[in-house]
Amino acid sequence: MSERMNRFLGDSPGRVLVKLIVVSLVVGVIMNAFDWSPIDILYGFENFIRRIWNLGFGAIERFAAYFLLGAVVVIPCFIILRLLSYRR
């Protein structure tokens, strides 16, 4: 049982606990220095996803605008060419 626990954790539970305490302390000091809180990180992640989402739909909007602009010229030309070749 102990060997399986060590393999799962990557080390003995005591050593893993000490490592987690040290890393948590370092991360806490860095976050305090930048005046970050966990909720700020969540809001930042949400804003990042929202900007990516909006950027994607902005690209779709631009694509649709280009498509419609080209269709205004291509569709009538296609119809005219089909009508001309229908006479033959």
Side-chain angles (χ1 to χ4, degrees), residues 1-34:
M1 176 72 172
S2 178
E3 184 179 320
R4 291 173 72 194
M5 181 70 82
N6 288 353
R7 192 171 23 174
F8 173 73
L9 293 175
D11 208 348
S12 68
R15 291 177 69 135
V16 170
L17 182 64
V18 169
K19 290 176 185 178
L20 288 174
I21 289 171
V22 169
V23 170
S24 295
L25 182 64
V26 170
V27 169
V29 167
I30 292 171
M31 286 180 66
N32 189 41
F34 286 109

Side-chain angles (χ1 to χ4, degrees), residues 53-78:
W53 181 272
N54 290 337
L55 219 136
F57 282 113
I60 291 171
E61 183 180 344
R62 284 192 304 273
F63 172 79
Y66 293 147
F67 173 75
L68 291 175
L69 184 62
V72 167
V73 174
V74 170
I75 302 287
C77 289
F78 173 77

